[in-house]
């Protein structure tokens, strides 16, 4: 059991590293946020359906579960739209930094969601994360819209994590991902249809964009989403969200490599990143110590 848990922690960090690359892809793809997410989810749900058919997993779920899956699909669709829109109107640095507040939102929501008492250090770590963000970036007023969109995306990410924390107890990760992505595609399709967005220009995608979108849909979405849901059998939603705080660290290093000096980090970035990293380590130590005390 301990080995399985350790392996899932390693897998979680790999997933977060992959997610860190999504911001770079979002910047490289020339499409606007809405069509970008629509293509991403459409391709991803098709790949997941092929995987489910190959494995012959049953797709039948209880009605109450289906409702939660649909809500989860709408939440993840809006999370991605606000995430990529934030990148488009600001930059990768601001967006990923603000996304780290997801742990703080989860710390506030998880006790109500699971009906447990609030743990003092979860709130403390959430505050430390925010302080780390303030140290990492001096966000200018020109980035206000990007900051608001990124914070909205972080909140939706926290809600999505809590929804999947319950769904994984009874459903397969691939089935959860299929219904959530399928619901998200349907939701976005209806919105685009009623707003007259399905124009000829909507389907004009360059060759480079197709390559980047496929990587985004396959590796960063289909694989990463299934794997992230799977690790939640061993790791709590709060710990998942706190580990996701490393996404800015991974993402900004990758952004500097692929996007150049426009994403260059100064010394304060490393101070803030270290503060965030310390919360991840401290959370794991405290949670493990608590479980050892219960066991003894």
């Amino acid at each position: 059991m301990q080995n399985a848990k350790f392996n899932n922690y390693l897998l979680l960090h790999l997933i977060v590293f992959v997610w860190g690359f999504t911001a770079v892809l979002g910047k490289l793809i020339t499409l606007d946020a809405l069509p970008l997410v629509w293509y991403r989810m459409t391709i991803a749900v098709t790949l997941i359906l092929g995987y489910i058919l190959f494995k012959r997993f049953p797709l039948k779920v209880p009605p109450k579960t289906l409702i939660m899956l649909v809500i989860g699909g709408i939440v993840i669709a809006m999370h991605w739209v606000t995430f990529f829109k934030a990148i488009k109107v600001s930059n990768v640095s601001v967006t990923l930094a603000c996304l780290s507040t997801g742990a703080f939102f989860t710390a506030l929501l998880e006790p109500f969601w699971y009906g447990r008492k609030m743990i003092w250090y979860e709130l403390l770590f959430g505050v430390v994360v925010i302080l780390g963000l303030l140290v990492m970036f001096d966000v200018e007023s020109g980035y206000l819209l990007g900051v608001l969109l990124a914070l909205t995306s972080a909140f939706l990410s926290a809600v999505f994590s809590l929804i999947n924390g319950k769904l994984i107890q009874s459903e397969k990760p691939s089935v959860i991902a299929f219904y959530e992505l399928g619901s998200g595609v349907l939701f976005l399709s209806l919105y685009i249809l009623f707003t007259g967005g399905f124009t000829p220009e909507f389907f004009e995608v360059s060759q480079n964009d197709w390559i980047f979108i496929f990587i985004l849909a396959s590796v960063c979405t289909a694989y990463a989403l299934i794997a992230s849901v799977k690790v939640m059998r061993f790791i709590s939603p709060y710990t998942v969200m706190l580990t996701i705080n490393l996404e800015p660290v991974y993402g900004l290093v990758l952004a500097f490599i692929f996007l150049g000096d426009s994403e260059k980090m100064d010394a304060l970035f490393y101070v803030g990143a270290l503060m965030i990293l310390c919360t991840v380590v401290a959370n794991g130590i405290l949670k493990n110590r608590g479980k050892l005390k219960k066991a003894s």
Side-chain angles (χ1 to χ4, degrees):
M1 183 65 180
Q2 284 294 108
N3 287 336
K5 196 164 189 176
F6 178 74
N7 290 336
N8 277 278
Y9 272 116
L10 292 180
L11 178 59
L12 177 59
H13 280 276
L14 174 62
I15 295 165
V16 174
F17 181 83
V18 169
W19 279 338
F21 194 62
T22 63
V24 176
L25 291 172
K27 196 70 174 180
L28 294 173
I29 295 170
T30 60
L31 296 177
D32 197 17
L34 185 57
L36 190 163
V37 174
W38 186 84
Y39 278 111
R40 175 189 189 177
M41 297 186 78
T42 301
I43 295 172
V45 74
T46 303
L47 293 173
I48 292 174
L49 178 59
Y51 173 77
I52 289 174
L53 294 176
F54 176 76
K55 289 287 189 177
R56 296 183 179 179
F57 292 149
L59 283 171
K60 187 176 180 180
V61 296
K64 289 184 178 179
T65 301
L66 182 60
I67 293 173
M68 285 190 68
L69 288 166
V70 171
I71 294 173
I74 295 173
V75 169
I76 193 62
M78 294 307 299
H79 159 66
W80 282 332
V81 170
T82 51
F83 173 73
F84 286 112
K85 192 65 178 178
I87 291 175
K88 300 293 183 182
V89 301
S90 58
N91 60 30
V92 172
S93 301
V94 171
T95 302
L96 289 179
C98 294
L99 198 65
S100 297
T101 58
F104 181 66
F105 289 128
T106 307
L108 293 177
L109 295 174
E110 194 177 79
F112 300 100
W113 185 257
Y114 288 106
R116 66 164 175 81
K117 292 182 179 180
M118 190 168 290
I119 303 174
W120 65 269
Y121 63 76
E122 291 183 348
L123 283 176
L124 176 62
F125 289 160
V127 173
V128 172
V129 167
I130 293 175
L131 292 176
L133 296 178
L134 293 175
V135 172
M136 285 168 70
F137 301 107
D138 180 15
V139 181
E140 300 177 5
S141 58
Y143 291 137
L144 179 59
L145 178 58
V147 169
L148 293 176
L149 286 167
L151 290 175
T152 302
S153 181
F155 176 79
L156 292 170
S157 177
V159 174
F160 181 68
S161 177
L162 293 174
I163 290 173
N164 280 348
K166 283 195 173 182
L167 289 171
I168 193 57
Q169 304 302 322
S170 59
E171 304 298 331
K172 291 183 180 295
S174 55
V175 174
I176 292 173
F178 170 73
Y179 277 109
E180 287 180 337
L181 291 176
S183 301
V185 170
L186 180 60
F187 171 74
L188 293 181
S189 296
L190 290 173
Y191 174 81
I192 297 169
L193 181 65
F194 284 111
T195 56
F198 281 126
T199 61
E201 291 76 16
F202 184 91
F203 298 100
E204 292 179 0
V205 183
S206 68
Q207 183 177 353
N208 283 342
D209 279 351
W210 274 124
I211 294 173
F212 293 142
I213 290 172
F214 185 78
I215 295 172
L216 186 64
S218 57
V219 179
C220 303
T221 307
Y223 166 76
L225 184 58
I226 291 175
S228 67
V229 175
K230 183 179 180 180
V231 300
M232 293 186 76
R233 287 177 174 167
F234 302 90
I235 304 171
S236 73
Y238 176 78
T239 303
V240 170
M241 281 304 306
L242 199 61
T243 307
I244 289 173
N245 285 317
L246 289 175
E247 187 175 338
V249 180
Y250 296 144
L252 286 167
V253 171
L254 291 169
F256 178 68
I257 294 172
F258 288 95
L259 301 177
D261 290 341
S262 63
E263 300 290 344
K264 189 175 181 179
M265 300 157 284
D266 58 21
L268 284 179
F269 167 81
Y270 297 102
V271 175
L274 183 61
M275 291 173 66
I276 293 174
L277 179 59
C278 287
T279 64
V280 176
V281 175
N283 175 68
I285 293 172
L286 288 173
K287 274 188 165 51
N288 186 59
R289 184 179 296 174
K291 289 181 179 179
L292 287 175
K293 284 184 178 180
K294 285 183 179 180
S296 61

